[in-house]
């Protein structure tokens, strides 16, 4: 069974381009198109796609609000959202991940890279290029004053149930490392690294790797510099 994709963008030509690209790829099926966030939420609930490619700036309901509604719907627990935008602004990167997105991509991405991104996020990977991760760290730390509940450098109750090793691994995930990179860095087997990451999913109650990245920033395990 192929990867079922829902396209969300208010520009007809953009949707047509994505449909032509993805629809011709073996193992990927475009099952629907939405012109705004409101329609995206409705179609996601009825179609239950594997991956949603979500624009940010749209009328009525924007992409961040729609992403949040989709990822919070228990019926769509297996649906992954990838946010696509022409605006390389830090607030959108962090906003997309806070809303539950599994990745963030710019619309000028190469065609083959977009196809690979759909496959990767479907397999549970976080779509965060190293340069985006660094910008996200800097943006989050710089906006710490805007997070009144818990400063980025303060203690966080979510860390209390983690072992020192799990905290270390969470920090490395936050810096954009894959399981294999973590294993090499800590001199562990890839399977051991994967097991630690899976336990972090359960302990922190997150749905995918991208949300672990957010948790690493929010708890202060990852900082600028």
């Amino acid at each position: 069974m192929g990867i079922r994709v829902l396209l969300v963008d208010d520009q007809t030509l953009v949707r047509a381009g994505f449909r032509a690209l993805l629809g011709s790829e073996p193992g990927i099926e475009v099952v629907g198109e939405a012109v705004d966030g409101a329609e995206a939420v409705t179609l996601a609930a009825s179609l239950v796609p594997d991956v949603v490619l979500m624009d940010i700036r749209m009328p009525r309901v924007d992409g961040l609000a729609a992403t949040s509604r989709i990822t919070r719907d228990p019926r769509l627990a297996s649906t992954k959202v990838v946010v696509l935008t022409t605006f390389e602004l830090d607030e959108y990167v962090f906003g997309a991940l806070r809303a539950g997105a599994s990745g963030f991509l710019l619309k000028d991405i190469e065609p083959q890279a977009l196809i690979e991104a759909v496959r990767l996020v479907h397999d549970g990977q976080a779509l965060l290029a190293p340069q985006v991760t660094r910008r996200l760290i800097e943006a989050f730390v710089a906006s710490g004053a805007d997070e009144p509940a818990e400063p980025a450098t303060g203690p966080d109750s979510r860390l209390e149930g983690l072992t020192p090793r799990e905290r270390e691994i969470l920090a490395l995930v936050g810096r954009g490392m894959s399981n294999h990179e973590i294993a090499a860095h800590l001199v562990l087997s890839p399977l051991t690294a994967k097991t630690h990451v899976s336990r972090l999913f359960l302990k922190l109650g997150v749905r995918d790797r991208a949300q672990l990245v957010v948790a690493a920033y929010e708890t202060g395990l990852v900082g600028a510099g």
Side-chain angles (χ1 to χ4, degrees):
M1 187 174 180
I3 302 172
R4 294 161 46 82
V5 179
L6 172 63
L7 304 176
V8 186
D9 198 293
D10 61 334
Q11 297 182 45
T12 303
L13 285 178
V14 172
R15 296 198 311 275
F18 286 159
R19 174 179 280 277
L21 173 65
L22 296 172
S24 63
E25 185 68 16
I28 298 179
E29 177 188 4
V30 176
V31 295
E33 298 181 24
V35 300
D36 59 33
E39 187 177 12
V41 173
T42 299
L43 284 179
S46 62
L47 297 173
V48 192
D50 298 308
V51 177
V52 178
L53 293 182
M54 180 79 72
D55 188 24
I56 286 185
R57 292 193 173 185
M58 296 180 292
R60 291 208 296 168
V61 177
D62 68 22
L64 297 187
T67 296
S68 181
R69 294 181 191 179
I70 290 172
T71 60
R72 282 163 175 71
D73 187 336
R75 298 169 298 176
L76 300 174
S78 62
T79 298
K80 309 293 186 182
V81 179
V82 177
V83 170
L84 285 158
T85 183
T86 55
F87 305 96
E88 190 176 5
L89 298 178
D90 296 322
E91 62 183 283
Y92 289 140
V93 181
F94 195 69
L97 296 177
R98 286 293 296 270
S102 297
F104 179 98
L105 297 172
L106 295 178
K107 286 184 179 177
D108 62 1
I109 186 174
E110 292 294 326
Q112 190 57 44
L114 177 61
I115 293 170
E116 183 65 18
V118 169
R119 296 190 186 283
L120 283 174
V121 76
H122 179 253
D123 289 339
Q125 301 295 318
L127 297 177
L128 292 171
Q131 66 270 25
V132 174
T133 302
R134 285 195 296 271
R135 289 172 63 83
L136 182 54
I137 294 170
E138 293 166 0
F140 180 75
V141 173
S143 65
D146 297 327
E147 302 287 337
E150 197 81 62
T153 57
D156 191 294
S157 60
R158 286 173 290 182
L159 295 177
E160 294 177 359
L162 304 185
T163 66
R165 176 63 89 187
E166 288 169 342
R167 295 188 186 196
E168 188 175 19
I169 289 177
L170 178 58
L172 295 177
V173 171
R175 293 188 182 279
M177 286 192 182
S178 67
N179 287 351
H180 282 281
E181 289 170 335
I182 291 172
H185 183 78
L186 298 177
V187 195
L188 302 171
S189 72
L191 179 59
T192 299
K194 181 179 180 180
T195 298
H196 279 301
V197 171
S198 297
R199 286 175 180 166
L200 286 171
F201 274 51
L202 293 174
K203 286 190 174 184
L204 296 176
V206 299
R207 58 184 281 141
D208 60 29
R209 198 179 188 90
Q211 303 311 304
L212 284 184
V213 173
V214 173
Y217 302 147
E218 290 182 327
T219 57
L221 287 179
V222 177

